[in-house]
C-alpha cells in the first residue's frame, strides 16, 4: 500500500515523451520472447487464485489459499454495522472502497467480454466467486440509500505495524460517505461495480443480479444528487493513499454507462451523453486508465455503442463520435501512433508501457485489457483504428496487447515473470504482510506489531508464503527490477493490477485452444 502515498494522477501530467518506436518493440519481440511459449490458461487460473489471498472476513470452506485464515471479524462493530468481508487492496490490512470497487468492475467486465473463454478454461466459478466476495461486501457497506461505508482501517496506523491480517492490532475504524459528507467518486465506482456484476449474475443468479442492480441505481442517484469528492471532507484519512485526483465526474459517467448496459434504460445513456461535455467525457484526452482515472474506459464503452443501429441513427450520435475520438486517442497513444510524441505513452527500452515508477504494472494490465476489447470491437464492426500517423487494423492492436502480457509473464530483459507464482522465476520477496510472515496455519501464536518488522520484514529470505497470481509493481523505466521487500514501488501488488489481466489471459488462452486461429500473426505484425 506504500505506493499509494506517491500516486499522482494529475491530469496535467498524463503525457510523457516517447523514446522508443513500435518497430524497435516488434524487432525485439521477434528476436527474443515472442517465440517463447506461455501457458495463458495456467496464468489465468493463478490470477483468479490471487483474490483468495486478499480476502478479509470469515473464509469459506472451499478456500484454496490455505495459508490464509479468518481476519477482520469485528470490522464495523464500533460503528454498529457489519463490515466483515471484502478485500485488502494490496500488501496491507486496510479495506479501501474505491480501488476495491474498481477491482470488481474490471473483473466483471472481463467476465462480460470473455466469459466463454473463462468457462472454457474451467475457471468460470472461480471468477464469479471473486466478484461475489466483493459485491457481498458492498451490499453490507451500502446500509442506506444515501450511506456508503468507504473504508475500514487507515493507512497511517497500518504502516506502523507489520502483521498478518489474522493478528491485526491496528485501528479498524470505519469511514462513510453520506448526504452531509458526500463521495460521488466512490458512490459512482461502487455503482459501476454492482451494475457490471449484475450483468454477470443475470443468468446464474437472477435474484442476486436484481439486488445488485437496486443498490447500483441507489448509489448512482446518491452520488449524483450529493456531489463531492470523498477524500475532501468525508474520508480525509484516505488522502495519502487513494485520493480522487481526477475528481468524481468520470466515475458518474462511468456508472451511468454501466447502468445503461445493465438496464437498457435510456435515462442512463441520456445522462452520459448530456453530461459528456461538462464532465469531461468528450473533452479529456487521457493516456492512462486506472482506479482513479476512468475516462479512457468510459470513452471506449461509449464508442462501442456505435456498433448498434439504434445508436447510429439517434440524435446523440455526434456525442458518441466524440467519445470515440477520445477513445481512439488513448489506443493510439498506447500504440505510439499519435503524431506528437508527448501524446504517446512512454515505453521502456524493451517495449513495456511506462506511466510512472510507482506500481506501473497497473497501467500496463489496464491498457492490455482495453486494447484487447477494442481490437475485438474493430474486428466485429469491420473497422480500422484511425490514428494521426495512419490506420491500424485490429490484429496490430491485439498484437501490442499480447506483447504487454508476454512481457509480464517473462518476455523481458530480466527473464522474470512479474505474475507471482508463474514460471520458473518470479519475485520471491513481495512486499506483502501476510505473505512475508509464517502462516497462521503453521504458527497460530500471536505475532506483534514491531515483532513482524524485526523478525520478518527485515529478513532477506524469500517469503514463506507465495501470493500466487499477484501482479507486482514491476520494473523501472529501464526494465530493471530489484526483488526486495523494502522496494514497495516495485514489489507490492494490488488487486486492481490482476483484475484487468484476467480477461486478457482468458482471451489468449481461448485463442490458443482455437485450432483454427493463427497466432503467428502476433509475432510478425
Amino acid at each position: 500500500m506504500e505506493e499509494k502515498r506517491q500516486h499522482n494522477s494529475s491530469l496535467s501530467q498524463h503525457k510523457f515523451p516517447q523514446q522508443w518506436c513500435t518497430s524497435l518493440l516488434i524487432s525485439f519481440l521477434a528476436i527474443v520472447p515472442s517465440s517463447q511459449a506461455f501457458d495463458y490458461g495456467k496464468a489465468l487460473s493463478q490470477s483468479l487464485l490471487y483474490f483468495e489471498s486478499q480476502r478479509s472476513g470469515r473464509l469459506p470452506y472451499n478456500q484454496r489459499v490455505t495459508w490464509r485464515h479468518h481476519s477482520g471479524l469485528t470490522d464495523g462493530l464500533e460503528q454498529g454495522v457489519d463490515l466483515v468481508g471484502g478485500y485488502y487492496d494490496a500488501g496491507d490490512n486496510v479495506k479501501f472502497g474505491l480501488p476495491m470497487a474498481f477491482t470488481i468492475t474490471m473483473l466483471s467486465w472481463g467476465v462480460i467480454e470473455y466469459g466463454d473463454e473463462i468457462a472454457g478454461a474451467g475457471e468460470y466459478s472461480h471468477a464469479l466467486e471473486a466478484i461475489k466476495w466483493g459485491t457481498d461486501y458492498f451490499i453490507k457497506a451500502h446500509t442506506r440509500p444515501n450511506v456508503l461505508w468507504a473504508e475500514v482501517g487507515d493507512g497511517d496506523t497500518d504502516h506502523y505495524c507489520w502483521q498478518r491480517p489474522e493478528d491485526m492490532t491496528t485501528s479498524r475504524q470505519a469511514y462513510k460517505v453520506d448526504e452531509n459528507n458526500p463521495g460521488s467518486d466512490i458512490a459512482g465506482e461502487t455503482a459501476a461495480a454492482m451494475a457490471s456484476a449484475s450483468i454477470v449474475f443475470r443468468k446464474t443468479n437472477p435474484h442476486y443480479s436484481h439486488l445488485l442492480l437496486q443498490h447500483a441505481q441507489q448509489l448512482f442517484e446518491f452520488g449524483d444528487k450529493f456531489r463531492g469528492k470523498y477524500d475532501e471532507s468525508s474520508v480525509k484519512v484516505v488522502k495519502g493513499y487513494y485520493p480522487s485526483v481526477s475528481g468524481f465526474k468520470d466515475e458518474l459517467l462511468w456508472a451511468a454507462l454501466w447502468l445503461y448496459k445493465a438496464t437498457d434504460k435510456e435515462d442512463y445513456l441520456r445522462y452520459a451523453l448530456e453530461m459528456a461535455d461538462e464532465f469531461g467525457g468528450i473533452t479529456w484526452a487521457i493516456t492512462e486508465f486506472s482506479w482513479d482515472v476512468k475516462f479512457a474506459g468510459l470513452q471506449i464503452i461509449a464508442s462501442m455503442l456505435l456498433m448498434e443501429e439504434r445508436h447510429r441513427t439517434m440524435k446523440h450520435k455526434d456525442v458518441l463520435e466524440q467519445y470515440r475520438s477520445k477513445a481512439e486517442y488513448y489506443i493510439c497513444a498506447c500504440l505510439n501512433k499519435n503524431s506528437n510524441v508527448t501524446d504517446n505513452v512512454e515505453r521502456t527500452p524493451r517495449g513495456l508501457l511506462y506511466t510512472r515508477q510507482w506500481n506501473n504494472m497497473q497501467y500496463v494490465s489496464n491498457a492490455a485489457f482495453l486494447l484487447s476489447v477494442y481490437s475485438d470491437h474493430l474486428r466485429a464492426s469491420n473497422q480500422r483504428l484511425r490514428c494521426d500517423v495512419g490506420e491500424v487494423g485490429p490484429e496490430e492492436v491485439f498484437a501490442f496487447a499480447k506483447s504487454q502480457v508476454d512481457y509480464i509473464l517473462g518476455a523481458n530483459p530480466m527473464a522474470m515473470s512479474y505474475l507471482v507464482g508463474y514460471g520458473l522465476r518470479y519475485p520471491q520477496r513481495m512486499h506483502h504482510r501476510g505473505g512475508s510472515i509464517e502462516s497462521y496455519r503453521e504458527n497460530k501464536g500471536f505475532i506483534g506489531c514491531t515483532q513482524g518488522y524485526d523478525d520478518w520484514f527485515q529478513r532477506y529470505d524469500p517469503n514463506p508464503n507465495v501470493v500466487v497470481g499477484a501482479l507486482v509493481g514491476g520494473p523501472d523505466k529501464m526494465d530493471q527490477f530489484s526483488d526486495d521487500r523494502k522496494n514497495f514501488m516495485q514489489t507490492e501488488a494490488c488487486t486492481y493490477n490482476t483484475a484487468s489481466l484476467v480477461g486478457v489471459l482468458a482471451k489468449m488462452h481461448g485463442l490458443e485452444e482455437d485450432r483454427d486461429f493463427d497466432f503467428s500473426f502476433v509475432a510478425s505484425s
Side-chain angles (χ1 to χ4, degrees):
M1 179 182 60
E2 279 72 5
E3 67 90 8
K4 271 75 77 177
R5 281 191 177 277
Q6 299 296 323
H7 170 75
N8 178 12
S9 61
S10 169
L11 299 186
S12 64
Q13 297 183 3
H14 282 182
K15 297 176 182 178
F16 297 85
Q18 177 64 45
Q19 299 176 345
W20 300 90
C21 63
T22 303
S23 59
L24 176 60
L25 167 67
I26 295 192
S27 298
F28 167 70
L29 290 176
I31 296 170
V32 186
S34 204
S35 57
Q36 191 171 339
F38 294 108
D39 188 339
Y40 300 115
K42 182 177 182 180
L44 170 63
S45 299
Q46 293 181 327
S47 68
L48 285 167
L49 186 65
Y50 164 62
F51 294 96
E52 297 190 19
S53 297
Q54 298 302 113
R55 284 173 169 170
S56 180
R58 185 168 295 279
L59 303 185
Y61 72 93
N62 60 347
Q63 170 83 7
R64 295 177 294 165
V65 179
T66 56
W67 56 266
R68 280 297 323 281
H69 199 62
H70 311 315
S71 63
L73 298 183
T74 61
D75 283 357
L77 184 63
E78 292 180 25
Q79 288 74 33
V81 59
D82 178 7
L83 296 177
V84 176
Y87 288 109
Y88 303 115
D89 75 301
D92 54 88
N93 299 327
V94 184
K95 295 191 298 201
F96 292 102
L98 182 59
M100 192 194 306
F102 180 69
T103 294
I104 300 305
T105 306
M106 295 310 296
L107 279 173
S108 298
W109 195 0
V111 172
I112 291 166
E113 296 289 341
Y114 303 114
D116 289 344
E117 290 84 351
I118 293 172
E123 293 294 331
Y124 196 75
S125 63
H126 292 142
L128 265 57
E129 286 171 7
I131 293 168
K132 194 171 185 294
W133 194 266
T135 52
D136 282 351
Y137 174 76
F138 297 144
I139 290 170
K140 290 182 174 184
H142 186 214
T143 51
R144 294 199 300 274
N146 294 343
V147 175
L148 176 66
W149 293 88
E151 181 175 332
V152 180
D154 72 85
D156 291 345
T157 304
D158 180 85
H159 280 190
Y160 288 119
C161 290
W162 192 263
Q163 286 180 294
R164 303 175 299 193
E166 294 83 359
D167 293 329
M168 279 187 294
T169 56
T170 51
S171 169
R172 301 308 289 171
Q173 182 174 343
Y175 303 86
K176 67 180 178 179
V177 295
D178 56 27
E179 296 175 10
N180 298 318
N181 301 284
S184 303
D185 27 35
I186 191 169
E189 184 58 61
T190 310
M194 298 177 100
S196 56
S198 76
I199 300 173
V200 171
F201 289 103
R202 187 177 290 158
K203 291 183 179 179
T204 60
N205 194 340
H207 174 75
Y208 189 68
S209 172
H210 181 68
L211 178 62
L212 292 176
L213 199 51
Q214 284 183 313
H215 280 280
Q217 290 172 314
Q218 287 182 353
L219 282 165
F220 174 73
E221 184 177 343
F222 163 50
D224 185 44
K225 186 176 181 180
F226 302 96
R227 294 179 184 174
K229 287 184 359 133
Y230 86 126
D231 59 315
E232 286 190 340
S233 61
S234 313
V235 192
K236 290 183 179 179
V237 295
V238 80
K239 212 169 187 66
Y241 303 94
Y242 287 103
S244 183
V245 179
S246 70
F248 58 80
K249 295 175 181 178
D250 52 336
E251 276 86 10
L252 288 178
L253 292 173
W254 174 244
L257 284 170
W258 276 114
L259 278 163
Y260 176 62
K261 289 173 70 69
T263 66
D264 209 30
K265 291 183 178 179
E266 290 291 327
D267 286 348
Y268 294 117
L269 177 60
R270 190 178 304 113
Y271 182 98
L273 297 173
E274 292 179 352
M275 304 303 292
D277 183 68
E278 180 182 343
F279 281 7
I282 57 175
T283 56
W284 278 111
I286 300 297
T287 57
E288 76 169 67
F289 176 56
S290 69
W291 58 263
D292 180 23
V293 188
K294 314 295 163 45
F295 287 109
L298 69 92
Q299 288 159 354
I300 282 175
I301 290 176
S303 65
M304 292 193 298
L305 294 176
L306 286 165
M307 278 185 64
E308 302 176 36
E309 181 65 31
R310 57 178 172 160
H311 296 130
R312 291 198 295 269
T313 58
M314 66 185 295
K315 62 179 180 179
H316 289 299
K317 177 189 174 185
D318 61 323
V319 180
L320 290 177
E321 290 284 4
Q322 292 177 69
Y323 268 118
R324 179 165 72 175
S325 173
K326 295 301 185 290
E328 293 190 342
Y329 173 92
Y330 171 82
I331 301 296
C332 294
C334 292
L335 296 173
N336 190 31
K337 295 289 186 179
N338 286 324
S339 56
N340 190 333
V341 294
T342 60
D343 289 340
N344 293 316
V345 183
E346 187 179 359
R347 296 185 193 172
T348 68
R350 292 301 177 91
L352 183 73
L353 291 172
Y354 188 81
T355 299
R356 54 180 61 88
Q357 64 176 340
W358 297 72
N359 191 22
N360 182 64
M361 279 301 187
Q362 64 175 306
Y363 309 107
V364 178
S365 62
N366 288 338
F369 180 81
L370 292 188
L371 286 162
S372 180
V373 168
Y374 207 72
S375 72
D376 293 340
H377 164 66
L378 292 174
R379 185 176 293 107
S381 57
N382 195 28
Q383 296 182 75
R384 294 175 65 81
L385 177 67
R386 299 165 296 183
C387 296
D388 291 344
V389 297
E391 292 189 349
V392 181
E395 293 80 9
E396 186 175 344
V397 177
F398 176 63
F400 186 71
K402 181 180 182 296
S403 76
Q404 299 301 290
V405 175
D406 286 352
Y407 186 110
I408 289 171
L409 297 182
N412 57 67
M414 301 292 291
M416 173 177 285
S417 164
Y418 293 109
L419 190 72
V420 176
Y422 179 87
L424 299 177
R425 187 166 185 253
Y426 51 82
Q428 301 288 318
R429 300 165 187 84
M430 182 179 161
H431 184 94
H432 190 281
R433 284 159 175 75
S436 66
I437 302 174
E438 188 177 16
S439 75
Y440 187 82
R441 184 178 186 178
E442 298 296 325
N443 176 11
K444 292 182 172 60
F446 176 76
I447 296 176
C449 185
T450 57
Q451 181 186 355
Y453 271 118
D454 295 340
D455 295 350
W456 297 98
F457 179 75
Q458 302 293 344
R459 290 189 179 198
Y460 180 75
D461 295 347
N463 288 351
N465 309 306
V466 180
V467 188
V468 174
L471 177 57
V472 298
D476 62 20
K477 66 192 306 179
M478 298 306 294
D479 297 294
Q480 298 302 299
F481 178 82
S482 175
D483 186 9
D484 185 338
R485 200 172 295 115
K486 299 174 184 177
N487 179 21
F488 47 83
M489 286 190 295
Q490 294 187 325
T491 63
E492 189 169 29
C494 299
T495 56
Y496 45 86
N497 296 18
T498 297
S500 297
L501 204 57
V502 168
V504 193
L505 290 170
K507 176 178 178 176
M508 292 182 176
H509 174 69
L511 291 177
E512 275 191 325
E513 295 294 297
D514 182 0
R515 296 184 180 182
D516 295 327
F517 184 82
D518 182 10
F519 233 126
S520 63
F521 81 85
V522 175
S524 59
S525 294

